[in-house]
Structures are given as structure tokens and as C-alpha cells.
Amino acid sequence: MQKLNFYSYSFRFKNSENKVSIFDKIRKKFIILTPEEWVRQHVVQFLLEEKKYPISHINVEKVLKVNGLRKRYDIVVYNPDGSIYILIECKAPAIKIAQATFDQIARYNMTMNAQFLMVTNGLNHYFCKMDFENEKYQFLAELPNYTL
């Protein structure tokens, strides 16, 4: 797999039926290793190791309804009260981050109301803080670290 713009993390892999899988610590199972999954697993490690978010506050690949349609978010980080703190959209490294990606995560966030957004293709990372009052987001240099 391609080298990404993250620190180097250790992962567990397995090979079966000529398909490589990577172990997802959040879902507690092996997942087929696609370019997008490679990015997703790096983001999970980034949240756990660099940002120090508790594993119990992170959720991966769940269905949500947006305008009556079933969509799937990549990663969320919850606040201790169960509200959503960070919503993260992962793309494969070959996918360029464009306005459409920000539009997608903004649509998801209308339902989820996360305080922070992250969009990444593993090479380029964008972090935003929501301004719900003015219906826009402000770009940040970094996501906040976990604090109690």
C-alpha cells in the first residue's frame, strides 16, 4: 500500500483467498484492505496515538439517514455525553479532495451536528471547526487533542 502522510503505525494483516485484510481495532475484526480502508485505519491510529482519544469514543462505518437516504459515515468521535465531536470523511489517496467532498461531509453534518470535521485522502488533511450560527466552517491547522 501507498505511504501516507501520517506517522508510521503498526497494523495486523491477514491474507485469505488472495485478499489482504487489515485488523480494525474499532470494529474488532479484519476488513478487506482497500485504498480507502488503508486511509481509514491510519486515521483511527492518528486519533488514538497522536490525539489520545479513547477507543470507546470512536466509531467506524455506520449508517445514517440524510434527507431520507441511507448514507455511511467513515469515522466519528463522540463526546462523553454521546454527542458527536468530530466527523471524518476518508477518501482513497487517488481521490483528490474537492469542493464536492466538503459538500458531502457538510450534508452529513446537518444530521450529525459535529463540532469538528476532518476530510482526508491520506495525503492531504483538512480540519474544520463548525460555526453553526453563521452556517459555515473555519479551517484549522490541526484537530484538538483529547481533553477530559
Side-chain angles (χ1 to χ4, degrees), residues 7-47:
Y7 287 112
S8 200
Y9 303 115
S10 61
F11 297 102
R12 287 175 43 204
F13 299 97
K14 97 175 173 184
N15 205 335
S16 75
E17 300 173 17
N18 290 332
K19 291 198 170 133
V20 176
S21 296
I22 188 168
F23 188 76
D24 182 323
K25 288 181 175 182
I26 307 301
R27 292 177 273 186
K28 295 181 175 63
K29 64 181 183 177
F30 281 93
I31 307 294
I32 298 290
L33 184 57
T34 63
E36 183 178 322
E37 191 62 42
W38 184 236
V39 172
R40 189 178 300 114
Q41 292 307 313
H42 276 78
V43 172
V44 167
Q45 291 301 114
F46 166 75
L47 293 169

Side-chain angles (χ1 to χ4, degrees), residues 9-124:
Y9 303 115
S10 61
F11 297 102
R12 287 175 43 204
F13 299 97
K14 97 175 173 184
N15 205 335
S16 75
E17 300 173 17
N18 290 332
K19 291 198 170 133
V20 176
S21 296
I22 188 168
F23 188 76
D24 182 323
K25 288 181 175 182
I26 307 301
R27 292 177 273 186
K28 295 181 175 63
K29 64 181 183 177
F30 281 93
I31 307 294
I32 298 290
L33 184 57
T34 63
E36 183 178 322
E37 191 62 42
W38 184 236
V39 172
R40 189 178 300 114
Q41 292 307 313
H42 276 78
V43 172
V44 167
Q45 291 301 114
F46 166 75
L47 293 169
L48 293 170
E49 294 185 27
E50 312 312 320
K51 295 298 171 182
K52 306 297 184 201
Y53 286 96
I55 197 166
S56 61
H57 290 215
I58 301 171
N59 204 325
V60 175
E61 284 230 302
K62 290 281 193 252
V63 172
L64 72 143
K65 284 209 188 263
V66 178
N67 297 329
L69 301 172
R70 290 170 50 94
K71 301 291 182 181
R72 185 179 291 269
Y73 65 72
D74 284 309
I75 303 170
V76 295
V77 178
Y78 290 99
N79 284 306
D81 69 3
S83 62
I84 296 172
Y85 189 57
I86 306 169
L87 173 60
I88 302 166
E89 179 62 29
C90 301
K91 299 293 185 191
I95 306 293
K96 296 269 185 273
I97 304 293
Q99 186 60 48
T101 312
F102 288 101
D103 294 346
Q104 175 188 5
I105 199 169
R107 273 193 310 278
Y108 287 8
N109 204 37
M110 283 185 207
T111 302
M112 303 180 81
N113 295 314
Q115 293 171 261
F116 294 91
L117 306 176
M118 176 181 178
V119 175
T120 183
N121 63 3
L123 304 173
N124 301 298

